[in-house]
């Protein structure tokens, strides 16, 4: 009989102790794609051991790279002539695979990548990616479920983004570094992960100005060299542990992550009643909470706003806070989908359009729930830690996509959580 994995959690424990944070998923995946821009060996260190990294490794292997993922390092040997096609079987498993389009186009003059489609958090268009590449002189078409880009002589151009899209900014950056002349990306995303990719591209020989601001300027160069690079730490993983500490009235030291990348989030936690202090002499911060958190309102926005990727954890926090909170989502159109699962744990959440009103409860109550995406999964686990009795979170492969050693880290902090293998409940039904 087929088996599935789930997390079994007994609520009630406080999270106490130290937790290390490795490189950011949302940086590492793009840095792996950036390796396509140079022939030879790229090495990324301090990388997370997660499913998405393994999938991106497979995408690169099918493009002709030799990829080794071991001991927190990713080694990518990119050939002189990489392939140009990424299939649906991989792209549908991980939307970020679309980011190979720009570097492949820049390097080989042609790229064909399966359209990823929408997912559990929203519709997720590619219009800005396509408009940007077209401005650089590529011919971009979409047929039979693939997006195809061709262009052997990309040239600099000014690209105005309708929205500071992380993916579109990275896509255009990676296509423009080898284009002839100057590219300006206006209304660019300002996330730390954007600064990270600009830092790596610059050490590869690219000429980039304005990283971290709304206007990025790229002066195209002939060729790039492979490098060794340490990615920025994962602020979303760090933020998850911080919110978990507050929800469980715990005391957690998050090591390796830069608190300045979480300024609004940590400020909200202070408003909720937490004590937050940066570590002295090393990267990291400590979050301690003694009483029940106060209700707080949160509004997601592109960086430096409150991150949409912490929205499920913010709603989980509001569910156990003292009072009513309003949480507004401005980035994805279906991020509230997971709320139905959270209400199974007893949370009182009402949504209307992109607003949610949450009336906090002293305790939630354990129940079986299903993770619908990476962050929803993490939010449900945090809620389960504050629930009476036992909860089971299924579809944990979502959580494995983005959180390295999730169960081990939580156990290290004192949570009662185990990964268990159970017979597939759908199997007897024959589906
Ligand atoms: N959008 C368009 N057209 C485009 C591009 C984006 O309409 O051409 C829309 C999207 O549909 C969305 C909004 O713009 O409504 C923002 O999308 P953005 O491009 O900024 O997001 P992304 O690059 O697809 C990355 C992260 C997400 C994170 C967002 C926002 C990766 C692999 N993913 O997605 O992370 O939520 O930025 O910060 O970097 C996650 O890690 O769980 C995750 C979803």
């Amino acid at each position: 009989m087929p088996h599935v994995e789930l997390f079994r959690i007994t609520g009630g424990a406080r999270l106490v102790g130290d937790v290390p944070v490795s490189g950011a998923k949302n940086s590492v995946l793009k840095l792996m794609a950036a390796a396509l821009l140079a022939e030879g060996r790229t090495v990324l260190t301090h990388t997370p051991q997660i499913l998405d990294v393994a999938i991106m490794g497979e995408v690169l292997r099918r493009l002709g790279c030799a990829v080794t993922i071991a001991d927190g390092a990713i080694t990518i040997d990119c050939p002189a002539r990489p392939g140009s096609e990424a299939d649906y079987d991989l792209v549908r498993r991980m939307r970020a695979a679309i980011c190979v389009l720009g570097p492949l186009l820049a390097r080989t003059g042609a790229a064909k990548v399966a359209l990823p489609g929408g997912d559990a958090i929203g519709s997720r268009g590619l219009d800005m990616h396509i408009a940007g590449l077209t401005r650089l002189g590529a011919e971009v078409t979409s047929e039979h479920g693939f997006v195809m880009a061709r262009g052997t002589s990309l040239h600099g151009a000014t690209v105005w983004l309708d929205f500071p899209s992380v993916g579109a900014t990275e896509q255009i950056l990676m296509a423009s570094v080898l284009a002839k002349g100057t590219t300006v990306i206006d209304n660019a995303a300002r996330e730390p992960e954007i600064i990270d990719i600009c830092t790596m591209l610059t050490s590869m020989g690219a000429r980039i100005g304005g990283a971290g601001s709304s206007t990025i300027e790229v002066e195209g160069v002939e060729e790039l060299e492979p490098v060794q690079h340490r990615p920025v730490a994962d602020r979303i993983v760090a933020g998850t542990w911080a919110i978990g500490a507050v929800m469980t009235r715990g005391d957690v030291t998050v090591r390796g992550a830069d608190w300045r990348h979480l300024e609004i989030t940590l400020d909200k936690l202070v408003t909720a009643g937490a004590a937050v202090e940066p570590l002295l002499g090393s990267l990291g911060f400590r979050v301690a909470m003694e009483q029940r958190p106060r209700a707080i309102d949160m509004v997601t926005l592109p960086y430096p706003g409150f991150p949409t990727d912490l929205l499920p954890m913010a709603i989980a926090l509001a569910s156990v806070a003292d009072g009513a909170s309003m949480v507004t989502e401005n980035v994805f159109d279906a991020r509230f989908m997971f709320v139905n699962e959270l209400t199974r744990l007893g949370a009182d959440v009402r949504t209307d359009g992109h607003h949610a009103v949450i009336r906090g409860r002293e305790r939630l109550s354990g129940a079986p729930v299903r993770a619908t995406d990476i962050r929803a999964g993490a939010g449900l686990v945090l809620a389960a830690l504050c629930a009476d009795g036992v909860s089971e979170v299924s579809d944990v492969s979502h959580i494995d996509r983005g959180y390295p050693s999730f169960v081990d880290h939580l156990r290290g902090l004192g949570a009662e959580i185990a990964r268990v293998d159970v017979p597939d409940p759908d199997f007897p039904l024959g589906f």
Side-chain angles (χ1 to χ4, degrees):
M1 179 183 283
H3 279 60
V4 291
E5 284 184 333
L6 48 81
F7 294 163
R8 188 168 289 150
I9 300 145
T10 305
R14 294 175 68 222
L15 296 185
V16 178
D18 278 32
V19 64
V21 174
S22 47
K25 166 182 87 74
N26 289 346
S27 206
V28 171
L29 298 174
K30 324 305 170 57
L31 303 177
M32 292 175 78
L36 290 166
L37 285 163
E39 181 183 351
R41 175 166 293 186
T42 295
V43 180
L44 302 173
T45 62
H46 297 82
T47 56
Q49 199 175 333
I50 48 173
L51 200 53
D52 274 9
V53 163
I55 297 173
M56 188 56 116
E58 194 49 36
V59 170
L60 296 183
R61 276 188 203 107
R62 293 207 205 161
L63 290 167
C65 300
V67 182
T68 320
I69 302 171
D71 305 325
I74 305 171
T75 307
I76 301 162
D77 284 292
C78 185
R81 291 177 174 278
S84 61
E85 195 168 321
D87 283 333
Y88 185 56
D89 63 328
L90 290 172
V91 180
R92 81 181 161 79
R93 295 184 65 195
M94 191 195 59
R95 188 176 199 281
I98 193 73
C99 70
V100 299
L101 191 68
L104 281 180
L105 172 69
R107 183 80 193 290
T108 69
K112 180 176 173 187
V113 180
L115 284 162
D119 62 19
I121 58 174
S123 47
R124 310 189 76 176
L126 284 180
D127 50 310
M128 286 183 265
H129 297 234
I130 293 171
L133 297 180
T134 306
R135 282 237 169 205
L136 299 182
E139 186 194 324
V140 189
T141 53
S142 116
E143 270 168 37
H144 306 297
F146 280 90
V147 53
M148 279 162 307
R150 277 185 212 88
T152 44
S153 52
L154 296 186
H155 54 74
T158 298
V159 179
W160 291 273
L161 295 179
D162 295 338
F163 181 90
S165 154
V166 173
T169 302
E170 291 161 339
Q171 193 80 273
I172 298 160
L173 256 173
M174 287 194 274
S176 63
V177 283
L178 293 176
K180 218 176 170 54
T182 307
T183 297
V184 177
I185 309 174
D186 209 358
N187 199 20
R190 293 183 282 161
E191 271 69 3
E193 295 76 23
I194 300 282
I195 299 182
D196 198 23
I197 192 169
C198 289
T199 305
M200 176 164 136
L201 290 169
T202 303
S203 62
M204 290 169 77
R207 295 173 63 190
I208 302 173
S213 79
S214 298
T215 307
I216 300 180
E217 210 173 289
V218 182
E219 189 67 45
V221 296
E222 287 282 316
E223 211 177 34
L224 296 173
E225 294 287 325
V227 291
Q228 175 164 329
H229 179 80
R230 177 179 180 160
V232 65
D234 200 314
R235 65 195 162 96
I236 304 301
V237 171
T240 302
W241 301 136
I243 294 174
V246 173
M247 288 176 67
T248 61
R249 304 178 204 185
D251 186 343
V252 172
T253 298
V254 180
R255 293 198 185 273
D258 193 336
W259 65 271
R260 288 166 302 184
H261 296 161
L262 280 166
E263 269 179 322
I264 287 192
T265 307
L266 296 177
D267 186 57
K268 288 287 176 189
L269 297 183
V270 169
T271 308
V276 176
E277 55 187 44
L279 299 185
L280 292 175
S282 65
L283 215 51
F285 55 88
R286 176 177 169 202
V287 179
M289 186 74 173
E290 282 179 357
Q291 71 283 17
R292 184 176 176 199
R294 284 190 289 274
I296 40 169
D297 293 341
M298 282 161 281
V299 178
T300 72
L301 277 174
Y303 191 83
F306 189 92
T308 175
D309 286 342
L310 287 176
L311 174 120
M313 300 67 157
I315 295 183
L317 167 61
S319 301
V320 294
D322 187 5
S325 310
M326 179 143 89
V327 175
T328 303
E329 167 62 25
N330 288 313
V331 181
F332 289 110
D333 53 24
R335 196 115 225 193
F336 289 144
M337 287 258 285
F338 91 105
V339 158
N340 291 334
E341 296 298 312
L342 193 63
T343 55
R344 290 182 48 72
L345 293 172
D348 179 353
V349 187
R350 277 208 240 158
T351 61
D352 185 1
H354 61 135
H355 302 290
V357 173
I358 305 108
R359 290 184 179 82
R361 296 218 156 122
E362 180 82 37
R363 299 291 301 167
L364 301 175
S365 74
V369 289
R370 193 170 65 82
T372 46
D373 72 88
I374 307 175
R375 312 302 173 189
L380 289 168
V381 169
L382 295 190
L385 293 174
C386 299
D388 289 328
V390 177
S391 298
E392 287 185 340
V393 179
S394 58
D395 284 6
V396 296
S397 61
H398 285 297
I399 301 174
D400 293 336
R401 285 186 46 198
Y403 286 87
S405 310
F406 188 68
V407 168
D408 291 344
H409 285 326
L410 276 171
R411 287 167 73 96
L413 293 173
E416 263 193 73
I417 177 170
R419 183 188 288 269
V420 291
D421 214 28
V422 297
D424 185 348
D426 288 337
F427 184 68
L429 302 176
F431 298 125

